[in-house]
Amino acid sequence: MNVTSVDFTMDTLPVRQSSAVSIGRIKPELYKQKSVDSEDGAKEPVETCGKLSFALSYDYEEQALVVRILKALDLSAKDFTGTSDPYVKIYLLPERKKKFQTRVHRKTLNPMFDETFRFPVEYSELCNRKLHFSVYDFDRFMSHDMIGEVVVDNLFELSDLSREAVVWKDILAATTESVDLGEIMYSLCYLPTAGRMTLTVIKCRNLKAMDITGYSDPYVKVSLICDGRRLKKRKTTTKKNTLNPVYNEAIIFDIPPENVEQVSLSIMVMDYDRVGHNEVIGVCRAGPDAEGLGRNHWNEMLAYPRKPITHWHALCEWPGRASSFESQGSCPSPKPPQTP
């Protein structure tokens, strides 16, 4: 091919100009309309999982917000039987230390609660507070499933609260963001010859605020569990006014090699309260009977003895005392392996 034969004369310019003119005839508003339509189509409808009825009023004499949880309708089924065991937790945000909880109603998707709770709060502060209802499905042996939630941002949009006002709200399906309690980073290291396990609490991040200030006073409590009984417990120091505490504190447990498959760890991130009782921010577990990363972390520790293995773990809701480890005891002798 002879490259010099290509014609670069000025005769080609009118053609390029005509092309530019034809492109200019495209109407921009049509593209703009298409973009808006595509954005609207991308929005997914918010999933609802029932309705919650409650009544609000204000007690001027006691300076308290009175919340009466009436009932729920058409809740999502969480059990394989097609029902749930629902109950409701209620907070007056941003403070999370003061919370209430209804009774558990067994095997129903339409529970009748009719329970009244009082939040001490000045009337002038109500414009800065939010009501948060969390609907849970109770599980005796595992962590409770969150069915959904209701958040009331502006209380005065519903009523002036001078007299009781009944409200119906859709229960929105819980998202990972709404139930996020934060994460904890810790390392596990096992020395088989010494029969010693070291858990190093490194730090936490994005913890849920428990105080009205928007912060917490977190510390970590670690329990050694054997056959459902708590053998020993240790805890870190308390870090004040932070949601991202750094600890770098080692906790040591003596675990003989023959017992290492019979024990597990319960890690609880707590919020210290000088006046009331300490509140659980979130929990996680490590051991052969844990789920997901908790079991994998434990197995990785055993696979690489004498080496610290570090992971981030997401915190979960505390399942409650029905499955907590409050009883004391000693670890039984190792169980003989079962013959196949």
Side-chain angles (χ1 to χ4, degrees):
M1 294 180 61
N2 189 356
V3 178
T4 58
S5 65
V6 179
D7 188 3
F8 287 104
T9 63
M10 294 297 293
D11 295 339
T12 59
L13 289 178
V15 177
R16 294 176 64 85
Q17 288 176 348
S18 63
S19 300
V21 172
S22 63
I23 293 175
R25 293 195 186 100
I26 298 176
K27 297 181 179 180
E29 62 269 16
L30 297 179
Y31 281 81
K32 181 179 180 180
Q33 184 66 40
K34 182 178 180 181
S35 176
V36 172
D37 292 342
S38 62
E39 289 178 1
D40 291 342
K43 293 182 179 178
E44 297 182 359
V46 179
E47 182 184 354
T48 61
C49 43
K51 290 181 176 293
L52 181 69
S53 176
F54 55 92
L56 301 177
S57 61
Y58 188 77
D59 188 328
Y60 293 92
E61 293 184 1
E62 297 187 6
Q63 290 191 319
L65 177 67
V66 183
V67 183
R68 187 157 66 100
I69 301 180
L70 300 173
K71 58 184 175 181
L73 294 178
D74 303 324
L75 296 179
S76 298
K78 292 292 185 179
D79 299 339
F80 68 92
T81 57
T83 62
S84 292
D85 300 323
Y87 68 93
V88 180
K89 285 183 183 179
I90 177 173
Y91 296 90
L92 185 61
L93 301 178
E95 186 177 9
R96 296 185 64 87
K97 287 185 178 179
K98 186 70 173 179
K99 72 174 179 181
F100 295 105
Q101 180 175 314
T102 68
R103 295 185 299 271
V104 176
H105 290 253
R106 300 288 184 180
K107 299 188 183 303
T108 178
L109 301 180
N110 301 284
M112 300 288 293
F113 297 106
D114 196 16
E115 297 184 48
T116 302
F117 309 100
R118 293 174 175 268
F119 290 95
V121 57
E122 293 184 8
Y123 188 81
S124 59
E125 293 183 6
L126 288 175
C127 58
N128 301 319
R129 310 296 286 272
K130 290 191 267 187
L131 269 178
H132 186 274
F133 302 87
S134 302
V135 185
Y136 284 89
D137 171 51
F138 175 83
D139 193 315
R140 184 179 299 275
F141 302 104
M142 300 179 65
S143 61
H144 303 176
D145 292 326
M146 191 174 186
I147 298 175
E149 60 187 354
V150 173
V151 179
V152 181
D153 292 322
N154 192 337
L155 297 172
F156 293 114
E157 286 184 355
L158 304 178
S159 168
D160 62 1
L161 306 179
S162 59
R163 57 181 179 180
E164 188 176 74
V166 177
V167 181
W168 280 95
K169 287 284 187 179
D170 287 332
I171 301 172
L172 304 182
T175 62
T176 55
E177 291 80 7
S178 63
V179 298
D180 184 27
L181 302 174
E183 296 176 282
I184 181 172
M185 175 193 281
Y186 62 84
S187 69
L188 295 176
C189 181
Y190 186 63
L191 302 177
T193 54
R196 179 178 300 168
M197 189 204 68
T198 302
L199 182 149
T200 303
V201 180
I202 301 172
K203 57 184 175 179
C204 299
R205 66 185 179 191
N206 303 325
L207 296 180
K208 184 170 283 294
M210 303 295 285
D211 299 337
I212 195 171
T213 59
Y215 293 100
S216 296
D217 301 323
Y219 67 93
V220 180
K221 183 170 69 174
V222 182
S223 299
L224 180 66
I225 311 300
C226 181
D227 284 350
R229 295 188 299 273
R230 186 177 67 190
L231 306 182
K232 297 178 182 178
K233 66 176 180 179
R234 303 283 189 271
K235 64 180 181 180
T236 67
T237 57
T238 301
K239 305 298 180 180
K240 298 290 186 178
N241 295 323
T242 179
L243 302 180
N244 300 281
V246 177
Y247 298 99
N248 291 320
E249 298 181 35
I251 295 174
I252 298 174
F253 294 106
D254 292 325
I255 306 174
E258 61 269 18
N259 291 101
V260 75
E261 292 294 339
Q262 301 173 23
V263 297
S264 61
L265 297 173
S266 171
I267 299 105
M268 307 178 73
V269 181
M270 309 286 296
D271 176 53
Y272 173 78
D273 193 332
R274 182 177 299 177
V275 179
H277 62 280
N278 300 340
E279 195 78 18
V280 179
I281 297 176
V283 302
C284 63
R285 189 161 180 174
D289 59 348
E291 297 181 354
L293 182 58
R295 182 177 60 250
N296 295 339
H297 195 171
W298 185 269
N299 291 337
E300 193 175 354
M301 172 195 72
L302 298 179
Y304 299 94
R306 296 174 295 279
K307 177 183 178 182
I309 307 297
T310 305
H311 285 294
W312 280 102
H313 291 259
L315 297 174
C316 302
E317 283 275 351
W318 187 39
R321 293 191 177 273
S323 51
S324 65
F325 308 103
E326 296 298 326
S327 59
Q328 304 283 344
S330 59
C331 190
S333 58
K335 299 177 181 178
Q338 295 181 352
T339 55

